[in-house]
Amino acid sequence: MRVKEIEFVDIKNKLPDIVLLDCEKHFSGKNYDIFFCALGFEERCLTIPEKLSSLNDFRCKQALYFEYSTNIEDNEVNKPRLMLALENFAESLDYFKCDEDDFTRNLREFLQQVVKSIENPKIIFDISVCSSKLLLSVMKVLFEFDIYLHIVYSEAANYHPTDEEFEKEPEKWTSEEGFGLTRGVGKVIPSPEYSGVRRENLDLVIAFPTFKPERTKAIITHIDESILMRLKEHRIIWMVGDPHMDEEKKKNRKAITRKINEITDDALSYEVSTFDYKDTLGSLEQIYKNKNLDFHLNVSALGSKMQSLGIALLGHIRPDISIYFALPKEYNPKQYSEGCKATWQIDFGELQNIREILNKVGMLEIIKD
């Protein structure tokens, strides 16, 4: 017999995969208790709600949508269609303002009332237009309850900038003066839900870079401004997105990301899938095991939806890490994303079972040889 520490690789296959979603096939004739989604300016915020609305035999007791404090007028354009879709399949409809300080408290109190009257309520969470901050905050609250969780996601058909757009006007997409996808840094927010456990150790930042490096730099500076001045100390680990695209576009996208964020060949970096949350979680867990004894780990959470999901699960496994967000002053709704290529799902099932699986990471087990 021998004693072995349970690692993420040992439980990875017990977590659900992301698979294609056919709303008619998977939701016809089904009844759920709650449907969560966000109201955003991207048209794909309507894709799954309208598909569910078109089903005659799909019902949900309550729909609840999240409103942002940025780009309010742009988001309002999609509101009538979203309201109509939700009202068609939900018995009641409500909303939360997700950028207010008491958002997670309000969401927690809402779910506390739900679980008092319904055992293991079945919840659908549409993350299609959720910001990293919103997605991580909601996941933190959901993981506190015994619920059945079904995540759904509409993947954009086109993301800006395209290779052609970037090559034509690179400054527009990367400089602080250009608009590109976003403009400016509104504020850096240390996540109160993932505040971590402070120690005497130096800070290390795990950064998910974007096409606008100003927000990543703002987070790093907020944590410790000396990190950017002492790059040879290697206290930044870059998580370069490996996008869900064909190989040629992937190669170009990763090269552009490295160039605009000045990620040199000698910098510590991983290439992490933007679409497989388990790939993100596995990479982050490996970094934790390698670096946690020497550093306090901080995550700059500006990645994709699925990367944010992986970060949320790491926050459950390793609650001593700290997570940071940087809100832009404004998003550019005209050149963010377009259309919907496909719809996807992750059926987590009963979260108490998922928590049990995740909680095994780091535990010891006796192996009989």
Side-chain angles (χ1 to χ4, degrees):
M1 293 191 299
R2 58 189 173 89
V3 177
K4 176 185 178 298
E5 179 181 346
I6 299 174
E7 299 183 1
F8 173 72
V9 67
D10 300 316
I11 60 101
K12 179 179 179 179
N13 290 336
K14 296 180 181 179
L15 297 174
D17 294 321
I18 180 170
V19 297
L20 281 168
L21 168 66
D22 181 329
C23 282
E24 184 173 5
K25 176 181 177 181
H26 293 107
F27 288 122
S28 288
K30 299 292 181 64
N31 291 283
Y32 278 74
D33 297 296
I34 304 170
F35 181 88
F36 287 137
C37 66
L39 170 63
F41 52 75
E42 295 170 275
E43 191 174 7
R44 61 188 172 130
C45 83
L46 304 169
T47 302
I48 290 175
E50 290 190 335
K51 285 179 181 292
L52 294 176
S53 175
S54 69
L55 303 177
N56 294 326
D57 50 359
F58 171 78
R59 301 300 299 167
C60 189
K61 290 181 180 177
Q62 184 165 10
L64 195 150
Y65 65 94
F66 306 119
E67 286 190 345
Y68 296 110
S69 62
T70 55
N71 294 79
I72 294 175
E73 292 183 1
D74 300 312
N75 298 337
E76 287 287 320
V77 173
N78 287 326
K79 190 171 183 177
R81 284 174 59 185
L82 181 63
M83 298 301 96
L84 180 62
L86 298 179
E87 289 169 352
N88 278 347
F89 65 75
E91 296 174 15
S92 64
L93 177 61
D94 205 346
Y95 72 96
F96 283 158
K97 292 186 179 296
C98 62
D99 292 329
E100 294 186 346
D101 292 340
D102 57 358
F103 167 66
T104 52
R105 186 189 68 192
N106 292 338
L107 182 61
R108 186 175 291 111
E109 290 176 352
F110 167 78
L111 286 170
Q112 285 171 344
Q113 293 302 313
V114 170
V115 297
K116 284 181 180 179
S117 58
I118 306 172
E119 184 178 359
N120 280 328
K122 298 183 69 175
I123 297 177
I124 299 174
F125 181 19
D126 181 356
I127 66 172
S128 301
V129 295
C130 286
S131 66
S132 296
K133 178 178 179 293
L134 174 58
L135 196 157
L136 273 103
S137 298
V138 174
M139 288 300 297
K140 178 64 171 66
V141 176
L142 292 178
F143 258 75
E144 297 172 5
F145 293 91
D146 291 344
I147 62 171
Y148 186 107
L149 179 61
H150 201 143
I151 286 179
V152 294
Y153 171 63
S154 299
E155 180 187 13
N158 297 297
Y159 291 96
H160 292 282
T162 63
D163 294 346
E164 294 78 13
E165 288 172 335
F166 182 82
E167 290 172 2
K168 183 178 180 181
E169 298 180 277
E171 295 81 10
K172 171 183 176 181
W173 302 97
T174 61
S175 69
E176 294 186 22
E177 294 75 21
F179 199 164
L181 298 175
T182 63
R183 177 184 286 140
V185 181
K187 57 181 176 179
V188 173
I189 301 176
S191 172
E193 292 81 31
Y194 303 91
S195 57
V197 179
R198 300 302 309 182
R199 298 180 296 169
E200 295 296 325
N201 301 40
L202 288 172
D203 285 292
L204 182 144
V205 179
I206 304 170
F208 287 78
T210 70
F211 274 7
K212 293 297 286 287
E214 56 192 0
R215 285 200 287 159
T216 302
K217 290 180 180 177
I219 289 175
I220 296 170
T221 301
H222 180 92
I223 294 169
D224 182 349
E225 61 184 1
S226 72
I227 293 176
L228 290 172
M229 295 184 286
R230 300 172 181 172
L231 293 177
K232 291 183 178 180
E233 292 182 357
H234 294 297
R235 288 198 284 146
I236 305 174
I237 297 180
W238 297 97
M239 309 297 278
V240 178
D242 186 24
H244 194 227
M245 302 173 174
D246 64 56
E247 290 303 318
E248 188 62 27
K249 287 184 177 180
K250 274 188 182 186
K251 182 180 178 180
N252 292 339
R253 201 87 174 174
K254 288 185 286 189
I256 291 171
T257 300
R258 289 181 178 275
K259 180 178 180 180
I260 66 176
N261 288 277
E262 300 176 337
I263 304 173
T264 59
D265 291 341
D266 62 340
L268 299 176
S269 67
Y270 286 67
E271 291 190 354
V272 184
S273 170
T274 62
F275 204 71
D276 182 357
Y277 76 96
K278 289 193 276 188
D279 184 39
T280 296
L281 178 54
S283 297
L284 290 173
E285 170 63 13
Q286 190 60 52
I287 293 170
Y288 181 92
K289 290 190 66 177
N290 292 340
K291 300 292 185 178
N292 181 60
L293 291 178
D294 298 318
F295 298 96
H296 174 69
L297 271 56
N298 306 271
V299 179
S300 169
L302 301 177
S304 69
K305 306 293 185 294
M306 292 301 160
Q307 288 174 337
S308 295
L309 183 58
I311 295 169
L313 297 186
L314 179 77
H316 178 82
I317 297 174
R318 305 297 187 184
D320 51 329
I321 67 167
S322 299
I323 296 176
Y324 288 80
F325 311 107
L327 302 183
K329 291 181 179 178
E330 185 180 7
Y331 289 93
N332 185 355
K334 295 180 180 179
Q335 291 186 302
Y336 208 80
S337 74
E338 297 170 344
C340 174
K341 180 166 65 175
T343 54
W344 301 85
Q345 62 176 327
I346 306 173
D347 190 351
F348 278 103
E350 295 185 357
L351 279 193
Q352 51 266 49
N353 295 333
I354 299 298
R355 290 196 302 267
E356 184 179 336
I357 292 169
L358 294 173
N359 290 343
K360 290 181 179 178
V361 175
M363 295 179 64
L364 300 178
E365 66 176 346
I366 297 175
I367 305 295
K368 295 182 179 180
D369 294 322

